[in-house]
mmCIF file with all atom_site columns, all heavy atoms in Angstrom:
data_model
loop_
_atom_site.group_PDB
_atom_site.id
_atom_site.type_symbol
_atom_site.label_atom_id
_atom_site.label_alt_id
_atom_site.label_comp_id
_atom_site.label_asym_id
_atom_site.label_entity_id
_atom_site.label_seq_id
_atom_site.pdbx_PDB_ins_code
_atom_site.Cartn_x
_atom_site.Cartn_y
_atom_site.Cartn_z
_atom_site.occupancy
_atom_site.B_iso_or_equiv
_atom_site.pdbx_formal_charge
_atom_site.auth_seq_id
_atom_site.auth_comp_id
_atom_site.auth_asym_id
_atom_site.auth_atom_id
_atom_site.pdbx_PDB_model_num
ATOM 1  N N   . LEU A 1 109 ? -0.371 41.901 68.264 1.00 0.00 ? 1550 LEU A N   1
ATOM 2  C CA  . LEU A 1 109 ? -0.335 40.604 67.522 1.00 0.00 ? 1550 LEU A CA  1
ATOM 3  C C   . LEU A 1 109 ? -0.323 39.401 68.544 1.00 0.00 ? 1550 LEU A C   1
ATOM 4  O O   . LEU A 1 109 ? -1.032 38.439 68.337 1.00 0.00 ? 1550 LEU A O   1
ATOM 5  C CB  . LEU A 1 109 ? 0.890  40.545 66.595 1.00 0.00 ? 1550 LEU A CB  1
ATOM 6  C CG  . LEU A 1 109 ? 1.096  39.209 65.826 1.00 0.00 ? 1550 LEU A CG  1
ATOM 7  C CD1 . LEU A 1 109 ? -0.151 38.820 65.016 1.00 0.00 ? 1550 LEU A CD1 1
ATOM 8  C CD2 . LEU A 1 109 ? 2.301  39.298 64.936 1.00 0.00 ? 1550 LEU A CD2 1
ATOM 9  N N   . LEU A 1 110 ? 0.518  39.524 69.535 1.00 0.00 ? 1551 LEU A N   1
ATOM 10 C CA  . LEU A 1 110 ? 0.640  38.495 70.522 1.00 0.00 ? 1551 LEU A CA  1
ATOM 11 C C   . LEU A 1 110 ? -0.690 38.282 71.220 1.00 0.00 ? 1551 LEU A C   1
ATOM 12 O O   . LEU A 1 110 ? -1.187 37.216 71.432 1.00 0.00 ? 1551 LEU A O   1
ATOM 13 C CB  . LEU A 1 110 ? 1.727  38.854 71.504 1.00 0.00 ? 1551 LEU A CB  1
ATOM 14 C CG  . LEU A 1 110 ? 3.202  38.684 71.092 1.00 0.00 ? 1551 LEU A CG  1
ATOM 15 C CD1 . LEU A 1 110 ? 4.103  39.297 72.055 1.00 0.00 ? 1551 LEU A CD1 1
ATOM 16 C CD2 . LEU A 1 110 ? 3.516  37.224 70.880 1.00 0.00 ? 1551 LEU A CD2 1
ATOM 17 N N   . GLU A 1 111 ? -1.339 39.430 71.503 1.00 0.00 ? 1552 GLU A N   1
ATOM 18 C CA  . GLU A 1 111 ? -2.589 39.342 72.230 1.00 0.00 ? 1552 GLU A CA  1
ATOM 19 C C   . GLU A 1 111 ? -3.692 38.711 71.299 1.00 0.00 ? 1552 GLU A C   1
ATOM 20 O O   . GLU A 1 111 ? -4.498 37.872 71.759 1.00 0.00 ? 1552 GLU A O   1
ATOM 21 C CB  . GLU A 1 111 ? -3.044 40.775 72.654 1.00 0.00 ? 1552 GLU A CB  1
ATOM 22 C CG  . GLU A 1 111 ? -4.160 40.786 73.651 1.00 0.00 ? 1552 GLU A CG  1
ATOM 23 C CD  . GLU A 1 111 ? -4.436 42.168 74.215 1.00 0.00 ? 1552 GLU A CD  1
ATOM 24 O OE1 . GLU A 1 111 ? -3.973 43.163 73.659 1.00 0.00 ? 1552 GLU A OE1 1
ATOM 25 O OE2 . GLU A 1 111 ? -5.039 42.149 75.322 1.00 0.00 ? 1552 GLU A OE2 1
ATOM 26 N N   . ALA A 1 112 ? -3.680 39.175 70.086 1.00 0.00 ? 1553 ALA A N   1
ATOM 27 C CA  . ALA A 1 112 ? -4.685 38.593 69.151 1.00 0.00 ? 1553 ALA A CA  1
ATOM 28 C C   . ALA A 1 112 ? -4.472 37.083 68.990 1.00 0.00 ? 1553 ALA A C   1
ATOM 29 O O   . ALA A 1 112 ? -5.395 36.369 68.792 1.00 0.00 ? 1553 ALA A O   1
ATOM 30 C CB  . ALA A 1 112 ? -4.515 39.321 67.768 1.00 0.00 ? 1553 ALA A CB  1
ATOM 31 N N   . ARG A 1 113 ? -3.190 36.684 69.002 1.00 0.00 ? 1554 ARG A N   1
ATOM 32 C CA  . ARG A 1 113 ? -2.913 35.276 68.833 1.00 0.00 ? 1554 ARG A CA  1
ATOM 33 C C   . ARG A 1 113 ? -3.273 34.489 70.125 1.00 0.00 ? 1554 ARG A C   1
ATOM 34 O O   . ARG A 1 113 ? -3.533 33.291 70.049 1.00 0.00 ? 1554 ARG A O   1
ATOM 35 C CB  . ARG A 1 113 ? -1.455 35.146 68.627 1.00 0.00 ? 1554 ARG A CB  1
ATOM 36 C CG  . ARG A 1 113 ? -0.922 33.861 68.110 1.00 0.00 ? 1554 ARG A CG  1
ATOM 37 C CD  . ARG A 1 113 ? -1.103 33.646 66.617 1.00 0.00 ? 1554 ARG A CD  1
ATOM 38 N NE  . ARG A 1 113 ? -0.407 32.480 66.203 1.00 0.00 ? 1554 ARG A NE  1
ATOM 39 C CZ  . ARG A 1 113 ? -1.017 31.288 66.074 1.00 0.00 ? 1554 ARG A CZ  1
ATOM 40 N NH1 . ARG A 1 113 ? -2.294 31.185 66.266 1.00 0.00 ? 1554 ARG A NH1 1
ATOM 41 N NH2 . ARG A 1 113 ? -0.375 30.285 65.712 1.00 0.00 ? 1554 ARG A NH2 1
ATOM 42 N N   . GLY A 1 114 ? -3.383 35.187 71.244 1.00 0.00 ? 1555 GLY A N   1
ATOM 43 C CA  . GLY A 1 114 ? -3.812 34.493 72.516 1.00 0.00 ? 1555 GLY A CA  1
ATOM 44 C C   . GLY A 1 114 ? -2.750 34.355 73.571 1.00 0.00 ? 1555 GLY A C   1
ATOM 45 O O   . GLY A 1 114 ? -2.980 33.697 74.548 1.00 0.00 ? 1555 GLY A O   1
ATOM 46 N N   . TYR A 1 115 ? -1.606 35.012 73.322 1.00 0.00 ? 1556 TYR A N   1
ATOM 47 C CA  . TYR A 1 115 ? -0.607 34.944 74.409 1.00 0.00 ? 1556 TYR A CA  1
ATOM 48 C C   . TYR A 1 115 ? -0.835 36.005 75.463 1.00 0.00 ? 1556 TYR A C   1
ATOM 49 O O   . TYR A 1 115 ? -1.414 37.023 75.122 1.00 0.00 ? 1556 TYR A O   1
ATOM 50 C CB  . TYR A 1 115 ? 0.779  35.194 73.743 1.00 0.00 ? 1556 TYR A CB  1
ATOM 51 C CG  . TYR A 1 115 ? 1.376  34.083 72.915 1.00 0.00 ? 1556 TYR A CG  1
ATOM 52 C CD1 . TYR A 1 115 ? 1.248  34.046 71.570 1.00 0.00 ? 1556 TYR A CD1 1
ATOM 53 C CD2 . TYR A 1 115 ? 1.973  33.030 73.520 1.00 0.00 ? 1556 TYR A CD2 1
ATOM 54 C CE1 . TYR A 1 115 ? 1.764  33.025 70.793 1.00 0.00 ? 1556 TYR A CE1 1
ATOM 55 C CE2 . TYR A 1 115 ? 2.523  31.975 72.860 1.00 0.00 ? 1556 TYR A CE2 1
ATOM 56 C CZ  . TYR A 1 115 ? 2.393  31.918 71.411 1.00 0.00 ? 1556 TYR A CZ  1
ATOM 57 O OH  . TYR A 1 115 ? 2.901  30.989 70.731 1.00 0.00 ? 1556 TYR A OH  1
ATOM 58 N N   . PRO A 1 116 ? -0.439 35.690 76.682 1.00 0.00 ? 1557 PRO A N   1
ATOM 59 C CA  . PRO A 1 116 ? -0.636 36.713 77.782 1.00 0.00 ? 1557 PRO A CA  1
ATOM 60 C C   . PRO A 1 116 ? 0.242  37.875 77.443 1.00 0.00 ? 1557 PRO A C   1
ATOM 61 O O   . PRO A 1 116 ? 1.365  37.732 77.052 1.00 0.00 ? 1557 PRO A O   1
ATOM 62 C CB  . PRO A 1 116 ? -0.204 36.009 78.995 1.00 0.00 ? 1557 PRO A CB  1
ATOM 63 C CG  . PRO A 1 116 ? 0.661  34.905 78.575 1.00 0.00 ? 1557 PRO A CG  1
ATOM 64 C CD  . PRO A 1 116 ? 0.269  34.445 77.238 1.00 0.00 ? 1557 PRO A CD  1
ATOM 65 N N   . VAL A 1 117 ? -0.336 39.087 77.672 1.00 0.00 ? 1558 VAL A N   1
ATOM 66 C CA  . VAL A 1 117 ? 0.499  40.313 77.455 1.00 0.00 ? 1558 VAL A CA  1
ATOM 67 C C   . VAL A 1 117 ? 0.751  41.060 78.800 1.00 0.00 ? 1558 VAL A C   1
ATOM 68 O O   . VAL A 1 117 ? 1.524  42.003 78.768 1.00 0.00 ? 1558 VAL A O   1
ATOM 69 C CB  . VAL A 1 117 ? -0.126 41.278 76.433 1.00 0.00 ? 1558 VAL A CB  1
ATOM 70 C CG1 . VAL A 1 117 ? -0.096 40.595 75.064 1.00 0.00 ? 1558 VAL A CG1 1
ATOM 71 C CG2 . VAL A 1 117 ? -1.563 41.557 76.796 1.00 0.00 ? 1558 VAL A CG2 1
#
Side-chain angles (χ1 to χ4, degrees):
Chain A
L1550 172 60
L1551 286 168
E1552 192 170 19
R1554 193 85 169 93
Y1556 285 101
V1558 290

